[in-house]
Amino acid sequence: MKRRDFLGRVGAAGTMGLTGALSVPALLSGSRHAYAAGDDIPIGVLFSLTGAVAVVEHTLHDAALMAIAEINADGGVHGKQLRPIVEDPASDPATYADRARRLMIRDKCVSVFGSYTSSSRQAVLPIAEQRNNLYWYPTLYEGRECSRNIMYGGALANQQQDILIPWLIENFGKKFYMIGNNYVYPKEENNYCRILLNELGGEVVHEEYVPMGHSDFSSVINRIRAEQPDVIFSTLVGDSDVAFSRQYHAAELNPDKMPIVSLTRSEVEVKAIGGEAAAGHFSSAPYFMGHESPENERFVENYRSRYGGDQVTHFVSEAAYFQIYQFKAALEKLDPDNITPIGIRDAAMGMTMKAPQGEILIDDNLHTHLWPKVAQWQADGQAKVILQSEERVTPKPYAAYPGQECTGEGLVKA
Amino acid sequence: MDVVFNQVFAGLSFASILLIIALGLAIIYGTMGVINLAHGEFVMLGAYATWALQTYAGLGVVTALPLVFLAVAAAGWIIEKVIVQRLYARPLDTILATWGIGIIIQQAVRLGIGPDSRFVQGPQWLTGNLQIGNLVMSNYRLFVIAFAIFILGATWLLMTRTEFGMKLRAVIQNRNISECYGIKAEKVYSVTFAYGAGLAGIAGALITPLFSTIPTMGTGLVVDAFLVVIVGGLGSLMGTAAAAMLIGEVTALFSIVMNDTLGRIAVLAGIILLIRFRPRGLFPSDTRR
C-alpha cells in the first residue's frame, strides 16, 4: 500500500466517523479495493453469446463493443483505454449472477453492461447492490423496479404506450385483442394498457398468454377471426412473434383493418418474419433503424461496416451502444484517481446526450428520458416512423401503481 | 359453430405436422428400440437444409423436399453408422448418446450458421385460403395435411408391400431368427434410421414457412412427437396416426375452450391419465422384444 493511499483511507474513515455514518459494511466496502488503478479502465460486458437469448444478446454485445472500440480509438477517457472484459453467461440467470460477481470482484470492473431478459437482470440485481457496483441494462422492460445500482436504458410502459394507445383508438378503433408470452413483461404491459383503455373508453375483447417458444397459432388466429378486434396488441417475443406473424399473414388477415401492434418487435424479428409478412403492422419503440438523424446515420454505418452489410440495428442495440457513451461521459466528469461505480452513477444523473434516437437524459431515478416513436413496417424489412412524440418522455417505472414513485432516493410510497 | 369447424381444421393441421415428425420417431423406436433424442435436431436440420437450398440454389420449399429428405437421411445414416450402431446392446446408453448428438448438432448449427432466425419464403402458389362458408383453410396448411397423408401411405406401403418392409418387419419381430435367414439386421437398421431421419427432415422443411427457423426449433416439437408415439403405442403405424390426430384435435379444442397455456396442461394431464390405464398406448403392437 502506498503511503498516500493509506492516508486517504484513514482520512475517509475519520470523516465517516465524524459524520456518524460509520457502519461496518460501509467500512468494509470502502476499503476493499481501488477501482481503475491501472493504466486502463476495466468494464464488464455480460451478454449471452450462447443459449436461447444469444440471438438478440449477441447484437447487444456487438453494439457495446463497437462503442468501446470507438472510444478507445478516440483516445479513451482521461488518457486511459477502456478494457472490456467479456463473459458469456449462456442465457442462464444463475450464470449471469455468477459472472457478474466475478466481473465485479475479481476483475474490479467499475461497471458491468449486460442482460436482455428481466430474469437475468433480476439475478444480477442483488449482486450489484451488495457490491455497490453499477449494472447497465439496455432493454425495454416492465418497470416496478427502482434499484440504485442499475442504469435502465430501455423504454418503460408509459414511454411505449402513452402516445401509442390514443393514436390506435383514433385510427383503428376501440376493440383490443391482447396476445403475449406467459411471463411478467407482457402482463405488466397489458395491465398498463388496460388502465389507458379504461380512460379512453377502449375495451379488451380477449387477453391471452401462450407459453414461451409457442409456435402454433392456428387457435389464436381462429379466435381473432371470430372476435374481429380492431387492434392486435402483441407482446409476443422472439420465435413466438415470428411464428405468429407468419401464420397471421398466411391466414390473409388484413393489416389495414386489424394490425398487429407490437411492443417487442424490432428489425431482428422482422428479418426472420420476412418483410412481406411484416408489412403494414406496427411497432412502438424509441428507436428504429430507419430513424433519420446524423447520430443514427453514423451508428448504422459504423455498425454495418464493422459487422456486415446485412446486419440490423434495433431499439435494444441502440441502447447498448449509447449506454457506453453515457458511461464515458460520466467518467469524464470524475477525478481520474478516484473512480468508483457510485461516483459514475452520481455523475450520470441529469446528464444529457445525443443518442441515435434523439437527445436523451438520465433521470435521477436512473431510468432514461426517451423519444417514443410509432413505426409501420415496410416490405423491405425497415420501419417507417409515422408518429413521433413531440417531447422527451419521462420514465415512470410505477406508472400503473398509483401511490408509488421511483425517485433519486429510491422507491417512495405515498 | 364456425369457431368449432375452424378449430377442427387447426387441430388437423397441427396433427399433420406432428404425424410426420412422430412417424420417423416411431419407426426408429419400433424397429430398433432406440429412443432417438436427436430427432428434433433432424427436424431442425431439415429446416436449415431448406433455407440453404432456397438461399443458395433458389429452390422453393416444395421442390426442395426430395433433396432435403436425402440430405437429412444421409446425416442420419452417418450418425447411425458411426455412433448408434455401436450401442444397440445398450439401449440406455443410446438415449445419452443421441441426446449428446442432438446438442452437438444444435451447437454446430449455431456456430456455423449463426443463432439468429432464418427466413424461408413459403411457396407462392400455395398462398391464400380456401373458404367454405365461414370455414377458412390456409392452402399451405391443406398442402401439409395432404402431404402428411401421402407420407403415411408411402410408409405403410414401404412396410407392407416391399421386400425391405418384409425384412424390416421380420427384424422387428425377432432379430436373431431373421439373421439366421440371411437378413442383414445391421443394414436394415441403418436404412430405417436414415428413413426416420429423412422424415424428420421433411417435417422441418414443411414447417419453415410457418415457424421460426432457429437452432432450437426442434426441441419443443420433439416433445410433442414423443407424446404421440407414447399415446399411439410403440411401433404401430396406425396408432401413431390416430394419436397424432387425437393430440392435435384435443390440443386445438382445449386451447379454444381455455387458452393455449391451460390447453397444454390439460393435454399433458390427459396423457398421464391415459398411460395410467393403457400403459402400452392406444394401439400396442403385438411383437416380441
Side-chain angles (χ1 to χ4, degrees):
Chain A
M1 186 183 280
K2 287 185 209 147
R3 185 171 164 273
R4 199 173 55 183
D5 286 1
F6 176 74
L7 289 178
R9 275 179 202 170
V10 170
T15 327
M16 274 194 269
L18 282 177
T19 52
L22 179 62
S23 64
V24 177
L27 181 63
L28 284 178
S29 64
S31 62
R32 195 173 281 123
H33 52 234
Y35 287 103
D39 301 334
D40 48 20
I41 299 166
I43 56 177
V45 178
L46 189 63
F47 293 108
S48 293
L49 302 173
T50 54
V53 295
V55 179
V56 182
E57 290 205 3
H58 88 97
T59 64
L60 311 182
H61 170 88
D62 288 352
L65 285 188
M66 180 173 98
I68 293 170
E70 284 174 5
I71 291 167
N72 283 342
D74 225 30
V77 189
H78 297 308
K80 291 182 180 184
Q81 295 276 297
L82 301 178
R83 177 163 53 93
I85 300 166
V86 175
E87 293 279 358
D88 176 14
S91 308
D92 169 47
T95 314
Y96 276 91
D98 180 60
R99 297 294 187 272
R101 193 179 283 119
R102 188 190 284 180
L103 287 167
M104 288 172 187
I105 301 174
R106 187 192 70 185
D107 299 321
K108 297 188 172 68
C109 290
V110 289
S111 276
V112 177
F113 295 79
S115 283
Y116 176 64
T117 60
S118 285
S119 53
S120 60
R121 182 196 69 246
Q122 280 163 352
V124 175
L125 187 141
I127 318 284
E129 292 192 339
Q130 189 194 350
R131 313 304 310 182
N132 218 1
N133 211 302
L134 211 52
Y135 194 55
W136 299 69
Y137 176 68
T139 321
L140 68 166
Y141 86 113
E142 64 280 353
R144 279 189 95 180
E145 202 175 281
C146 192
S147 172
R148 297 305 294 157
N149 296 86
I150 298 188
M151 306 296 288
Y152 305 88
L156 288 163
N158 74 304
Q159 291 169 316
Q160 287 197 283
Q161 297 192 33
D162 280 356
I163 62 162
L164 172 72
I165 305 298
W167 181 82
L168 286 174
I169 288 181
E170 192 182 309
N171 286 280
F172 293 96
K174 297 187 166 185
K175 287 197 293 182
F176 277 51
Y177 187 107
M178 292 174 166
I179 167 97
N181 282 109
N182 199 4
Y183 73 108
V184 60
Y185 174 77
K187 293 193 170 175
E188 289 289 337
E189 292 293 332
N190 285 345
N191 182 16
Y192 186 68
C193 182
R194 275 178 182 274
I195 293 175
L196 294 181
L197 287 177
N198 274 342
E199 283 168 13
L200 299 163
E203 62 167 320
V204 179
V205 293
H206 195 81
E207 176 174 352
E208 75 175 306
Y209 300 95
V210 298
M212 292 296 269
H214 186 77
S215 53
D216 195 275
F217 287 91
S218 348
S219 315
V220 174
I221 287 168
N222 280 339
R223 199 178 287 115
I224 288 174
R225 212 177 248 134
E227 299 272 4
Q228 289 290 325
D230 299 316
V231 171
I232 317 293
F233 190 71
S234 161
T235 38
L236 292 170
V237 293
D239 317 322
S240 290
D241 186 29
V242 174
F244 176 58
S245 311
R246 301 197 72 175
Q247 291 166 32
Y248 195 86
H249 178 68
E252 294 198 318
L253 293 168
N254 186 353
D256 300 335
K257 286 208 189 96
M258 262 195 272
I260 301 172
V261 180
S262 173
L263 300 183
T264 48
R265 181 179 301 171
S266 71
E267 286 79 359
V268 175
E269 282 81 13
V270 168
K271 207 167 128 190
I273 293 167
E276 194 193 337
H281 298 289
F282 298 90
S283 280
S284 171
Y287 170 84
F288 291 98
M289 191 174 172
H291 175 65
E292 286 173 11
S293 75
E295 288 80 14
N296 186 39
E297 233 162 69
R298 200 182 124 224
F299 172 49
V300 172
E301 201 183 293
N302 291 355
Y303 194 85
R304 290 197 144 174
S305 64
R306 202 177 161 90
Y307 300 111
D310 61 336
Q311 295 297 309
V312 293
T313 60
H314 53 93
F315 51 75
V316 194
S317 72
E318 185 233 13
Y321 175 79
F322 75 57
Q323 283 202 313
I324 300 272
Y325 274 96
Q326 288 177 326
F327 165 80
K328 174 204 173 212
L331 271 186
E332 278 170 345
K333 289 208 224 160
L334 295 178
D335 168 13
D337 292 328
N338 189 17
I339 293 171
T340 62
I342 295 313
I344 295 170
R345 177 193 77 195
D346 293 342
M349 278 155 59
M351 204 172 68
T352 58
M353 194 199 105
K354 279 272 193 192
Q357 63 173 281
E359 193 189 54
I360 53 171
L361 166 79
I362 299 181
D363 194 275
D364 286 353
N365 68 19
L366 306 188
H367 292 70
T368 314
H369 294 242
L370 303 166
W371 292 93
K373 298 172 182 69
V374 177
Q376 185 172 40
W377 295 102
Q378 309 294 311
D380 65 357
Q382 283 296 325
K384 191 173 143 201
V385 178
I386 45 172
L387 177 70
Q388 183 162 200
S389 176
E390 281 158 21
E391 54 193 23
R392 194 162 57 196
V393 175
T394 314
K396 292 181 191 148
Y398 288 83
Y401 298 88
Q404 298 183 59
E405 204 176 340
C406 182
T407 68
E409 275 76 50
L411 183 61
V412 178
K413 288 181 184 167
Chain B
M1 208 54 204
D2 301 335
V3 176
V4 176
F5 282 123
N6 277 313
Q7 217 39 38
V8 168
F9 177 73
L12 209 59
S13 165
F14 184 46
S16 63
I17 294 166
L18 275 187
L19 176 62
I20 307 177
I21 303 175
L23 261 185
L25 207 56
I27 291 171
I28 292 176
Y29 186 83
T31 321
M32 315 185 254
V34 171
I35 295 179
N36 179 18
L37 287 177
H39 203 67
E41 275 58 50
F42 290 143
V43 175
M44 182 264 292
L45 281 183
Y48 273 92
T50 317
W51 167 76
L53 284 169
Q54 187 171 88
T55 315
Y56 300 112
L59 294 183
V61 171
V62 180
T63 350
L65 280 176
L67 291 171
V68 170
F69 175 78
L70 289 178
V72 181
W77 190 77
I78 292 169
I79 287 168
E80 203 274 346
K81 280 281 180 205
V82 177
I83 299 164
V84 181
Q85 199 161 73
R86 294 162 206 276
L87 297 170
Y88 281 133
R90 296 147 63 189
L92 270 179
D93 295 344
T94 54
I95 297 184
L96 197 65
T98 50
W99 175 245
I101 294 167
I103 295 174
I104 293 169
I105 297 177
Q106 208 178 87
Q107 297 303 331
V109 169
R110 197 195 296 283
L111 291 174
I113 304 177
D116 40 332
S117 180
R118 299 291 159 173
F119 172 72
V120 179
Q121 175 83 48
Q124 286 300 323
W125 55 281
L126 285 171
T127 55
N129 292 302
L130 180 68
Q131 199 156 354
I132 305 169
N134 283 318
L135 174 62
V136 187
M137 296 181 288
S138 149
N139 287 340
Y140 186 74
R141 284 179 183 272
L142 280 172
F143 169 77
V144 175
I145 292 171
F147 204 84
I149 294 169
F150 163 72
I151 284 181
L152 181 66
T155 307
W156 185 77
L157 285 176
L158 180 77
M159 296 277 272
T160 57
R161 295 284 182 273
T162 63
E163 194 192 327
F164 171 77
M166 196 155 60
K167 285 181 182 168
L168 176 61
R169 279 179 296 140
V171 174
I172 292 177
Q173 290 191 352
N174 194 320
R175 179 178 172 172
N176 291 337
I177 298 287
S178 313
E179 282 182 325
C180 291
Y181 281 94
I183 297 171
K184 286 199 176 98
E186 282 194 352
K187 206 173 158 193
V188 172
Y189 281 177
S190 302
V191 175
T192 312
F193 198 90
Y195 182 72
L199 287 188
I202 287 195
L206 287 173
I207 61 176
T208 45
L210 296 172
F211 291 18
S212 163
T213 307
I214 50 166
T216 48
M217 66 187 291
T219 319
L221 290 166
V222 83
V223 174
D224 288 314
F226 265 114
L227 296 180
V228 167
V229 174
I230 289 164
V231 170
L234 296 163
S236 154
L237 217 56
M238 289 309 140
T240 308
M245 276 283 288
L246 186 72
I247 289 183
E249 290 298 345
V250 169
T251 306
L253 189 75
F254 279 146
S255 23
I256 203 85
V257 176
M258 298 179 265
N259 61 46
D260 278 304
T261 310
L262 286 175
R264 181 124 186 104
I265 295 170
V267 168
L268 288 171
I271 290 172
I272 292 171
L273 273 180
L274 186 98
I275 55 171
R276 163 69 186 79
F277 294 105
R278 289 192 69 100
R280 300 187 61 210
L282 291 175
F283 305 92
S285 56
D286 300 319
T287 54
R288 246 180 300 168
R289 299 223 65 91

